Amino acid sequence: MNDATRAAVPVGIALYMAVVQFLFVTTWTIYVIFLPQLLERAGLPASLTPVILIIDQLVFMVMDIYVGVAADKAQHTVGRLGPLMMGFTAVSCIAFMLLPFASHLGAAAPLVALTLMLIWTATSSALRAPPWVLLSKYAAEPSVPRMNSLLLCGLAAGGAIAPYLGVTLKNVDPRIPFVLSSLTLLAATGGIVYVEKRLKLSPVAPPSPAPQPPELVGASLPFLAALFLLALGFQIHFSINSAGQYLRFTKPADLEWLMPTFWVGFGVAMMPGSSLCKRFGTLRVMAVSALMGACASYVAAGAGSLQVLIASQLVAGGAWGCMIMCGFTAAMAAGRTGREGLALGMLFAMLALATLSRIGAVLAGVPKREEFSMLLAWAPVTCWLTGALVAGSLMLRARPVAAGAR
């Protein structure tokens, strides 16, 4: 399917997929909250939690690429991606729902619990790259940034409520949230087959205007390296540094209200960012956003008041939102010849690698060691500045190619 036969994805469908993404992120948050308790109930030490989370990210890295390639093949062979996503998601939800009940199996509980965790992690990759692949298959190029912004708002909402879930579910029997979240996610993804049929029947859009400079770098090694650096900067800034920065001015009980500030900035920047991306190009917006994020992270590290810290977190969240939205747009552009799944799978693999790096640093005790405090304060700034330089260099390399094409 070329771009002349693609249509703008209906807003309602993009919002539906955003809800699916929100529910998926919520299941992951529930998993992380209860993982130590689940391990102890199954007869395993809670100290294995970071090791399990590292294994989860390794599985994500492999499965994101595998499922992405499988999504491409499904498009080419049977012309349908919905049944593949539904099958994987059904297995994922069943495994997730059974996790709290593994402790009732006596001596077999440890093995069963670990097996269910592995199955859930592997099959849940069906809700990472494939939803973007499905929409990309039918989306005309001008509508891609806006579509990405809507889906990413679902991820942002899931990240924003994570602190509240941690407090609300603290003393709840894990069987309740695991069963409810599994059934809700399974029910929500039940409409994916209908969504695919609806997209096939969507009116065809008129041919797109002359193409922008060929930013088909979304699967190149320099671009993937830039994505990893940008994602690592986010992981360090938000997951490692932010709580400590807030605690300089407030009490631990206030974190549940302050930590979502980052995700508020993320969500607010989505729509303006998508318009800028469409007008100026993904690489330019990514580079400028990374520069803004680096400045905001620098200000947050040395903020002299809570008000300044909140403002810098809002800007940092918005900058990260634009960075990742541009990343998705470029990856989808790189796969417009039918390799969307591969390009998007590699993008998600880079996000998983950044998460794995952050968990590994925490496991090694880096945030607690005084000699690394200055390094951690500067790490997001360095990562985002380097990512901006790489995006800028790729933009300069793309211009001669575009001139030659004309």
Side-chain angles (χ1 to χ4, degrees):
M1 180 181 289
N2 56 45
D3 207 60
T5 61
R6 299 176 194 251
V9 171
V11 172
I13 289 179
L15 288 173
Y16 163 77
M17 299 300 278
V19 171
V20 172
Q21 292 297 304
F22 166 77
L23 294 173
F24 172 68
V25 173
T26 301
T27 59
W28 173 255
T29 301
I30 292 171
Y31 172 75
V32 173
I33 291 171
F34 287 103
L35 182 55
Q37 185 177 340
L38 292 176
L39 290 173
E40 288 184 335
R41 288 189 173 191
L44 296 166
S47 58
L48 281 178
T49 297
V51 177
I52 298 297
L53 292 176
I54 286 177
I55 294 174
D56 288 338
Q57 297 305 318
L58 288 171
V59 173
F60 273 140
M61 289 178 62
V62 175
M63 289 301 297
D64 283 335
I65 298 175
Y66 172 79
V67 173
V69 172
D72 289 336
K73 290 182 178 178
Q75 293 183 63
H76 295 152
T77 55
V78 299
R80 293 187 302 165
L81 182 55
L84 175 71
M85 294 173 61
M86 277 299 303
F88 270 80
T89 302
V91 174
S92 175
C93 288
I94 292 171
F96 191 76
M97 185 167 51
L98 293 177
L99 261 174
F101 299 93
S103 58
H104 301 296
L105 298 178
L111 178 60
V112 172
L114 293 175
T115 302
L116 288 172
M117 291 175 191
L118 179 61
I119 293 173
W120 173 72
T121 305
T123 53
S124 63
S125 292
L127 291 179
R128 285 163 68 87
W132 268 269
V133 176
L134 176 62
L135 296 183
S136 174
K137 180 181 177 182
Y138 298 97
E141 186 174 349
S143 69
V144 168
R146 184 187 183 194
M147 181 192 71
N148 282 331
S149 67
L150 290 173
L151 266 68
L152 288 168
C153 281
L155 296 178
I161 70 164
Y164 303 118
L165 287 177
V167 174
T168 304
L169 302 177
K170 188 174 182 180
N171 299 313
V172 174
D173 187 328
R175 290 174 293 186
I176 297 174
F178 272 75
V179 171
L180 289 178
S181 62
S182 299
L183 293 177
T184 304
L185 180 59
L186 185 59
T189 53
I192 287 178
V193 174
Y194 168 78
V195 164
E196 189 169 29
K197 291 181 180 179
R198 170 79 182 278
L199 288 171
K200 287 183 177 180
L201 298 175
S202 296
V204 176
S208 300
Q212 296 178 358
E215 297 177 355
L216 303 183
V217 295
S220 68
L221 289 179
F223 186 79
L224 292 173
L227 271 178
F228 168 71
L229 287 171
L230 296 176
L232 183 62
F234 153 68
Q235 290 288 340
I236 298 173
H237 171 84
F238 178 74
S239 299
I240 294 181
N241 291 350
S242 290
Q245 292 169 354
Y246 280 121
L247 290 175
R248 298 204 313 262
F249 307 106
T250 188
K251 306 183 295 294
D254 295 328
L255 288 179
E256 63 180 284
W257 304 104
L258 293 170
M259 291 294 284
T261 300
F262 180 92
W263 295 110
V264 172
F266 186 107
V268 168
M270 280 292 94
M271 286 304 171
S274 66
S275 298
L276 292 172
C277 186
K278 181 179 177 180
R279 179 174 180 180
F280 296 106
T282 57
L283 293 175
R284 184 175 298 174
V285 175
M286 176 181 280
V288 173
S289 300
L291 288 173
M292 290 180 60
C295 293
S297 184
Y298 173 79
V299 172
S305 68
L306 181 60
Q307 291 74 20
V308 172
L309 179 56
I310 290 174
S312 61
Q313 290 288 359
L314 283 169
V315 174
W320 168 241
C322 291
M323 289 182 235
I324 194 62
M325 185 266 296
C326 290
F328 275 100
T329 302
M332 291 169 70
R336 299 300 271 188
T337 57
R339 295 183 297 171
E340 291 94 337
L342 175 61
L344 288 161
M346 294 174 72
L347 180 151
F348 273 101
M350 292 301 99
L351 298 181
L353 180 60
T355 305
L356 185 154
S357 302
R358 184 257 301 170
I359 297 172
V362 173
L363 181 60
V366 172
K368 296 181 180 180
R369 297 171 65 174
E370 187 64 30
E371 61 267 31
F372 289 114
S373 60
M374 187 62 69
L375 175 63
L376 288 175
W378 279 96
V381 179
T382 304
C383 288
W384 282 343
L385 284 178
T386 307
L389 290 175
V390 175
S393 66
L394 289 172
M395 180 177 63
L396 294 175
R397 286 171 53 189
R399 284 178 177 173
V401 176
R406 288 192 292 269

